[in-house]
Amino acid sequence: MRFLGNKQLASAVGLVLGLLCAVKAAKVNKHKPWIETTYHGIVTENDDKVLLDPPLIALDKDAPLRYAESFEVTLTKEGEICGFRIHGQNVPFEAVVLDKSTGEGVIRAKDKLDCELQKEHTFTIQAYDCGEGPDGANMKKSHKATVHIQVNDINEYSPVFKEKTYKATVLEGKKYDSILKVEAVDADCSFQFSQICNYEIVTPDVPFTIDKDGFIKNTEKLSYGKEHMYKLTVTAYDCGKNRASEDVLVKISVKPTCKPSWQGFNKRIEYEPGTGSLALFPSMHLETCDEPVSSIRASVELETNHIGKGCDRDTYSEKSLHKLCGATSGTVELLPAPSSSANWTIGLPTDNGHDSDQVFEFNGTQAIKVPNGVVSTNLKEPFTISVWMRHGPGAHEKETILCNSDKTDMNRHHYSLYVHNCRLIFLLRQDPSEAETYKPAEFHWKLDQVCDKEWHHYVLNVEFPTASLFVDGTTFEPFLVTEDYPLHATKIETQLTIGACWQENSGHDNETETAPEPTSGGNARMAQFFRGNLAGLIIRSGKLENKKVIDCLYTCKEGLDVQLPEEVASSVKVEFNPNQSSLTVEGEDIDAFDKVMQHISYLNSRQFPTPGIRHLRVATTVKCFNEDACVSVPDAEGYVMVLQPEEPKISLSGIDHFARSAAEFESQEGVTLFPELRIVSTITREVEADTEPEAADGADDDPTVQETVVSEEIMHNLDFCEVSVMGEELDGEHESLEMDPSQLQQRALEMSSSNLGLIITGVNTMANYEQVLHLIRYKNWHTEALFDRKFKLVCSELNGRYISNDFKVEVNVIHTAVPVEHANNAMVQPSFINPVHHASVDLSGHNLVNAHQASVVPSAATVVIVVCVSFLVFMIVLGVFRIRAAHQRTMRDQENGKENEMDWDDSALTITVNPMETYEDQHSSEEEEEEEEESEDGEEEDDITSAESDTSEDEEGGEPEDKQGASRQQQLEWDDSTLTY
């Protein structure tokens, strides 16, 4: 045995004492166990072991130290980990301590886990030590740590198809991109094992394939004769390569070729004007190829956008249309057809392709100024602005339709209607007032119609402070109203413009834009030019348009119509759009549906419709039971050909040449220009000549069959008649064209006059126009220098679409050489005189005073003087004798509406006409002349003047025509300025 030294022994004793002290000190449980704050674990379903990260280890500072294996130390419970506690409801896990001294533990599943029920679990865990003393009292717990455990899936389920059987029907001879789709699902919880990765057709040698999404299509065109039905077995695989538990059966039926479509449909349908409604589909029926149909819906659309302003409407002036629709007063047309009295639209480009629809084009460089006095709108009263507009697309600049602005200096806009960014904006600045308060000044409407390049009808009713807008008969309220102060009081006149806004280039107004460089004179002061088409711009003062008038103005004269048969009226539903250009038909029974379609008709109520094509389209949707659309019916397309209407020929006829005394021109009544005017309208049509009944069947093959042209008189309206002066304009100081305004008012007509003539406007019958034209009188109270006046009359229908002939009237003035109170000395002449021209006489024009004197034989001067004196005495006696009878006949003729007349040609005569004798008086006068001539010898007859010789020849030539004109009153007067005394 080996003994230690003293020093070594002392060291060993000290060490043992130290260890004993340490063990004694460890008996006190001062510290809590410690664990991580968060743990993440993974467990596979059907397994109980959880893999944690980090591992589950609890530490306690009360644990003793271990220095070497050579010392045996008895440890106490204070430093050991006795267990773990899990907190939470129904947690399917438990924690177990593997080593108390090291604090190592594990988490295990209590029961079998199911990922399909719950994929993740979250709970808290807490460690506790063994405490102190033999019974483990005063144990300490650690903090609570969170544990997240994810349950991993295993591929325990197989795919299952949603349907037990799939069915489809295909037409023979067609390859489909997809016939039908099969679909399977998998109950596994993970993405990998729940997804279907592949489908497979198990049945071999079939002309079908299936893709990974389950869509089946045929690989070749199928034949009904080869196979009526194919039966396929299809299976599915998930992404874990599990096959479907049960395969599914797919049945694909092959249907023989049948094309669902409308049968018995004619693509070209001719419409003859004036025939009323025309059935469009009289023999039409729907072929559905024996499909069990549950419902049918068809939409019939008649395309009329290319006709006029969106469809066929009457092309009367907008003012006339307003009157026809019930707006009888206060209407001012700002874009009238150019005429002598309304010439401010002359030069503005028009669209002449729509049978005289007055459409004006504005290309961004042109605008017009409305003359002063045309519009006298008091903005304090209610008023209406209506216009047809086609515009688009929208622009960032303002585009003015109508603008009333200062003519000079200020550039203030008093009111305007303009387009800006597909918005229709109406500006209305109040007049100066004492109260300087904000009032509504701008009304904004944001409308798709403003920029869709289609025709729309806009009616703006303004009753300050409100403004309402109607677009195609539908009301729109402004989405924005801004306010402003009233205008300041000034004496500046305003300028009303269309297509732009008038402005001075002084730069005082921020509202206006810089005017572009003018392309022509007159545009230097214009800004905010409009780009588009305008028509029918109207301002109506003092009254608002009601809905009835607005609908009348917008309604088309053509459209679709249908008369439902009584037996199907309850089973089929028909709906029209507002202008009847399209309709929809819905029903369930095919037979009833076909009957309704066969009763759809086209109707054009215009007497003279616009000829041309109206495209027609029928779109159909067919639904079957339990399916949205089982039958695809192609659209049926065709067109209605509106044939050229038989154009009327408007003929004006009557007395075109007559003479009246100067006294009648200067009288209060004046001279009636058209006393016997007649207005007749005829159409010419071709009819086949009558043939024998036996030969009727072969008439088409017989080239000798002729067509006969027949002229037929028809009645229709006129809307315009203009009387214009030929030659120099009227001098208002001493001549005028007049008529009684009350007669116009009774017939709802209007008249405007100028120094060029007068114009009568308004839609009315030809008979009423004829009566009014009879009342037009020409007056001249300074006839000394007047010898003739020429006038021209023209009438039209449908705003110039059909124009009459130019009816010209020439009126001669009879100047009295020797005045005897109210009558001139006269001698009788025949009613109609055929002049004989002599080379020795040169008479030009109708200036009777300046006619050349006839040559006289010098040797017979004395005889001529005697003859002339005899004629003068005779005329004086005859004039005094018949003066009273002539006046009585003149008054009677005026009451009967027929004026004295004669056809006159003074190219070789030196006589003037005096309408004072009837035809019977002329014959009695002729007998007196014959007696006078028989009393003279032949030598005296040879010595008369050439003028007298002309007259006697004219008398002989005019006798046959006297018989034809026996009802006309004639009287001739000698102009003795040509006689030699």
Side-chain angles (χ1 to χ4, degrees):
M1 182 173 179
R2 191 175 179 181
F3 293 93
L4 297 174
N6 292 332
K7 289 183 178 181
Q8 292 176 342
L9 181 61
S11 298
V13 172
L15 178 59
V16 172
L17 293 173
L19 290 172
L20 292 174
C21 292
V23 171
K24 184 177 181 181
K27 291 181 179 179
V28 180
N29 191 10
K30 294 181 178 182
H31 301 284
K32 294 179 179 181
W34 179 88
I35 60 176
E36 297 286 346
T37 58
T38 306
Y39 293 92
H40 294 274
I42 299 175
V43 62
T44 303
E45 61 179 347
N46 301 329
D47 192 4
D48 63 347
K49 186 178 181 180
V50 179
L51 298 178
L52 284 179
D53 181 26
L56 181 60
I57 299 176
L59 301 178
D60 196 325
K61 291 183 179 181
D62 293 325
L65 297 177
R66 300 177 180 181
Y67 287 99
E69 297 179 356
S70 58
F71 297 94
E72 295 181 2
V73 179
T74 301
L75 300 177
T76 60
K77 297 179 180 180
E78 289 81 0
E80 295 180 349
I81 302 300
C82 282
F84 295 94
R85 182 175 296 172
I86 292 177
H87 300 277
Q89 293 183 355
N90 301 324
V91 178
F93 295 95
E94 63 179 0
V96 179
V97 178
L98 298 179
D99 188 343
K100 291 183 178 182
S101 62
T102 61
E104 184 178 357
V106 294
I107 297 177
R108 295 181 303 204
K110 294 179 183 180
D111 299 314
K112 180 182 177 181
L113 299 175
D114 192 345
C115 174
E116 286 70 38
L117 294 178
Q118 189 170 350
K119 293 183 179 182
E120 294 183 350
H121 297 270
T122 301
F123 53 88
T124 58
I125 192 171
Q126 200 173 25
Y128 58 91
D129 59 19
C130 296
E132 64 181 18
D135 56 354
N138 297 324
M139 68 175 181
K140 292 185 180 296
K141 299 178 182 179
S142 70
H143 62 271
K144 292 180 179 180
T146 303
V147 180
H148 302 282
I149 297 178
Q150 178 179 343
V151 182
N152 281 352
D153 185 30
I154 62 173
N155 194 8
E156 57 186 321
Y157 293 100
S158 298
V160 177
F161 285 96
K162 289 185 175 182
E163 304 288 342
K164 293 182 178 180
T165 304
Y166 290 91
K167 296 180 180 180
T169 302
V170 295
L171 289 175
E172 65 174 345
K174 181 179 179 181
K175 289 187 68 174
Y176 292 83
D177 293 333
S178 174
I179 297 175
L180 79 160
K181 180 183 180 181
V182 298
E183 188 175 1
V185 294
D186 196 301
D188 287 310
C189 68
S190 64
F191 178 81
Q192 177 184 5
F193 298 141
S194 65
Q195 294 299 307
I196 307 300
C197 279
N198 191 28
Y199 292 92
E200 182 182 340
I201 297 177
V202 180
T203 306
D205 300 328
V206 290
F208 300 94
T209 61
I210 188 170
D211 61 16
K212 62 183 181 65
D213 296 319
F215 290 99
I216 297 176
K217 66 179 181 179
N218 55 324
T219 57
E220 62 184 40
K221 295 180 180 180
L222 306 178
S223 172
Y224 178 80
K226 181 179 179 181
E227 190 70 47
H228 291 4
M229 178 184 290
Y230 290 89
K231 296 181 180 180
L232 315 176
T233 302
V234 178
T235 190
Y237 294 89
D238 64 19
C239 294
K241 297 185 178 180
N242 273 5
R243 181 173 172 168
S245 57
E246 292 185 6
D247 298 338
V248 72
L249 179 64
V250 178
K251 297 180 180 180
I252 300 178
S253 300
V254 180
K255 190 175 181 180
T257 302
C258 176
K259 297 180 180 180
S261 62
W262 287 104
Q263 304 292 329
F265 173 70
N266 294 326
K267 289 188 175 182
R268 178 185 172 94
I269 305 162
E270 292 188 352
Y271 178 79
E272 185 176 349
T275 57
S277 61
L278 172 67
L280 296 175
F281 321 113
S283 304
M284 194 176 190
H285 68 278
L286 180 62
E287 175 60 60
T288 59
C289 300
D290 298 328
E291 283 289 343
V293 174
S294 63
S295 66
I296 312 170
R297 184 179 188 273
S299 63
V300 183
E301 182 179 358
L302 182 73
E303 294 184 0
T304 59
N305 291 338
H306 62 292
I307 303 296
K309 298 186 287 292
C311 70
D312 212 2
R313 295 182 175 89
D314 282 331
T315 57
Y316 294 119
S317 69
E318 197 68 20
K319 190 171 183 179
S320 296
L321 291 175
H322 273 69
K323 287 189 175 182
L324 290 174
C325 289
T328 57
S329 62
T331 302
V332 178
E333 190 170 7
L334 300 184
L335 285 175
S339 64
S340 59
S341 61
N343 59 0
W344 61 88
T345 56
I346 295 177
L348 196 63
T350 59
D351 184 354
N352 295 320
H354 301 304
D355 292 289
S356 299
D357 249 0
Q358 202 63 49
V359 174
F360 294 93
E361 179 182 352
F362 294 84
N363 58 13
T365 62
Q366 294 170 313
I368 57 174
K369 294 191 296 183
V370 179
N372 294 335
V374 173
V375 177
S376 57
T377 302
N378 184 359
L379 299 184
K380 295 181 181 179
E381 297 180 353
F383 67 96
T384 295
I385 299 176
S386 65
V387 65
W388 285 92
M389 180 175 70
R390 178 170 60 187
H391 176 263
H396 296 293
E397 298 83 12
K398 293 180 180 179
E399 298 182 46
T400 299
I401 301 170
L402 177 69
C403 179
N404 188 33
S405 59
D406 288 341
K407 185 173 289 188
T408 57
D409 300 332
M410 300 291 287
N411 290 343
R412 299 174 306 168
H413 296 181
H414 292 250
Y415 64 88
S416 66
L417 183 65
Y418 61 94
V419 173
H420 190 207
N421 288 332
C422 294
R423 299 179 181 183
L424 186 67
I425 303 173
F426 178 63
L427 169 69
L428 178 60
R429 298 292 300 278
Q430 287 298 293
D431 290 335
S433 62
E434 296 179 359
E436 294 291 331
T437 58
Y438 266 11
K439 293 183 179 180
E442 278 191 2
F443 302 85
H444 297 242
W445 291 270
K446 190 172 184 180
L447 304 167
D448 295 335
Q449 293 91 329
V450 172
C451 296
D452 64 1
K453 297 183 180 180
E454 299 290 342
W455 278 108
H456 296 285
H457 186 234
Y458 301 84
V459 177
L460 182 63
N461 278 339
V462 181
E463 189 170 16
F464 192 80
T466 62
S468 58
L469 178 68
F470 293 84
V471 182
D472 298 337
T474 303
T475 308
F476 291 87
E477 294 299 327
F479 79 95
L480 177 65
V481 178
T482 60
E483 297 184 338
D484 203 345
Y485 286 108
L487 294 171
H488 296 291
T490 64
K491 295 183 179 180
I492 302 174
E493 295 182 353
T494 59
Q495 176 63 60
L496 183 61
T497 55
I498 301 172
C501 207
W502 174 266
Q503 67 174 21
E504 277 287 325
N505 294 327
S506 57
H508 289 297
D509 189 11
N510 294 329
E511 295 176 328
T512 58
E513 301 172 4
T514 303
E517 290 296 327
T519 57
S520 61
N523 284 349
R525 299 176 183 229
M526 295 288 185
Q528 303 172 8
F529 285 87
F530 181 77
R531 295 175 179 83
N533 297 97
L534 297 176
L537 181 56
I538 286 287
I539 288 185
R540 187 183 184 196
S541 305
K543 195 170 183 181
L544 302 179
E545 299 287 22
N546 58 45
K547 187 67 167 58
K548 183 178 180 181
V549 172
I550 294 172
D551 290 342
C552 173
L553 292 171
Y554 174 69
T555 301
C556 295
K557 292 292 185 179
E558 66 176 340
L560 300 174
D561 191 20
V562 62
Q563 299 294 331
L564 292 179
E566 294 182 1
E567 63 271 17
V568 300
S570 59
S571 61
V572 179
K573 181 181 179 181
V574 180
E575 292 182 352
F576 287 87
N577 69 336
N579 61 359
Q580 291 191 307
S581 63
S582 67
L583 61 85
T584 58
V585 184
E586 294 185 18
E588 298 178 355
D589 182 74
I590 294 181
D591 293 335
F593 198 90
D594 288 344
K595 288 183 179 179
V596 172
M597 294 294 291
Q598 291 168 7
H599 282 78
I600 296 176
S601 59
Y602 169 79
L603 177 63
N604 195 316
S605 60
R606 295 189 65 190
Q607 187 176 11
F608 307 109
T610 303
I613 290 176
R614 276 76 161 163
H615 289 284
L616 193 65
R617 179 180 292 106
V618 181
T620 312
T621 302
V622 179
K623 293 183 179 181
C624 300
F625 296 97
N626 300 324
E627 294 188 35
D628 290 339
C630 60
V631 176
S632 177
V633 179
D635 291 351
E637 296 186 0
Y639 60 91
V640 178
M641 172 59 75
V642 179
L643 301 179
Q644 180 74 35
E646 295 168 335
E647 297 189 3
K649 180 181 179 181
I650 305 173
S651 301
L652 308 180
S653 60
I655 303 172
D656 58 359
H657 195 169
F658 59 89
R660 295 290 182 269
S661 66
E664 291 187 52
F665 287 94
E666 297 176 357
S667 66
Q668 186 67 27
E669 292 79 12
V671 174
T672 303
L673 284 183
F674 312 107
E676 296 185 11
L677 175 70
R678 179 131 188 259
I679 304 176
V680 177
S681 181
T682 57
I683 58 172
T684 302
R685 58 164 57 106
E686 295 181 353
V687 296
E688 293 185 1
D690 293 336
T691 57
E692 294 296 331
E694 296 80 4
D697 295 336
D700 294 339
D701 301 329
D702 187 358
T704 61
V705 175
Q706 300 291 328
E707 289 189 345
T708 304
V709 176
V710 177
S711 183
E712 177 184 347
E713 184 174 343
I714 63 170
M715 301 301 296
H716 58 86
N717 292 329
L718 299 178
D719 61 354
F720 176 91
C721 280
E722 180 178 13
V723 180
S724 55
V725 182
M726 301 176 66
E728 296 182 358
E729 299 179 358
L730 291 174
D731 188 346
E733 294 184 358
H734 58 78
E735 61 180 339
S736 66
L737 286 173
E738 298 179 1
M739 73 174 303
D740 187 2
S742 63
Q743 297 293 331
L744 291 169
Q745 294 176 1
Q746 292 177 9
R747 297 168 177 83
L749 297 174
E750 292 185 359
M751 182 184 71
S752 60
S753 59
S754 66
N755 56 352
L756 299 176
L758 60 83
I759 298 175
I760 301 174
T761 57
V763 181
N764 218 315
T765 62
M766 293 187 295
N768 279 337
Y769 263 95
E770 194 176 274
Q771 294 173 8
V772 167
L773 293 171
H774 285 167
L775 303 175
I776 297 178
R777 295 178 175 274
Y778 171 66
K779 295 172 63 175
N780 192 313
W781 48 93
H782 186 68
T783 59
E784 289 81 359
L786 179 67
F787 301 100
D788 59 59
R789 255 306 193 185
K790 296 179 181 179
F791 301 91
K792 180 177 71 174
L793 173 64
V794 178
C795 295
S796 77
E797 161 73 313
L798 294 173
N799 205 19
R801 180 176 176 184
Y802 301 118
I803 303 176
S804 71
N805 60 305
D806 292 349
F807 179 63
K808 299 177 182 179
V809 173
E810 180 177 346
V811 182
N812 294 109
V813 182
I814 301 173
H815 293 280
T816 304
V818 181
V820 181
E821 292 187 11
H822 301 287
N824 296 328
N825 298 331
M827 69 172 293
V828 177
Q829 293 292 339
S831 298
F832 296 93
I833 300 175
N834 294 326
V836 178
H837 299 272
H838 293 268
S840 60
V841 181
D842 184 12
L843 300 179
S844 60
H846 299 284
N847 193 336
L848 303 181
V849 175
N850 295 329
H852 296 287
Q853 296 183 2
S855 59
V856 180
V857 180
S859 61
T862 304
V863 176
V864 170
I865 292 174
V866 173
V867 172
C868 291
V869 171
S870 301
F871 272 119
L872 179 60
V873 172
F874 170 74
M875 287 188 294
I876 292 174
V877 173
L878 184 62
V880 173
F881 177 76
R882 295 182 176 177
I883 183 171
R884 182 173 299 175
H887 276 286
Q888 292 176 352
R889 284 190 296 271
T890 301
M891 295 302 293
R892 183 177 67 252
D893 295 339
Q894 291 179 355
E895 292 175 358
N896 294 334
K898 293 186 177 182
E899 299 292 344
N900 301 323
E901 61 168 332
M902 69 173 293
D903 291 340
W904 185 259
D905 187 345
D906 58 353
S907 59
L909 298 177
T910 58
I911 63 174
T912 57
V913 181
N914 189 352
M916 295 178 60
E917 290 188 359
T918 61
Y919 178 75
E920 292 81 0
D921 295 334
Q922 293 169 6
H923 276 280
S924 62
S925 178
E926 288 174 2
E927 293 174 0
E928 294 174 3
E929 289 179 5
E930 291 175 359
E931 293 175 358
E932 182 74 18
E933 292 174 355
E934 289 175 358
S935 64
E936 298 175 359
D937 57 15
E939 184 181 15
E940 290 177 342
E941 292 177 356
D942 294 337
D943 293 338
I944 62 174
T945 63
S946 61
E948 294 169 345
S949 176
D950 289 346
T951 302
S952 61
E953 290 178 3
D954 291 342
E955 290 172 354
E956 295 174 0
E959 289 179 359
E961 293 185 8
D962 289 345
K963 298 178 181 180
Q964 299 177 358
S967 62
R968 299 185 180 181
Q969 303 168 5
Q970 301 292 335
Q971 182 175 6
L972 303 181
E973 176 188 20
W974 282 102
D975 187 347
D976 55 1
S977 62
T978 60
L979 298 178
T980 57
Y981 293 93

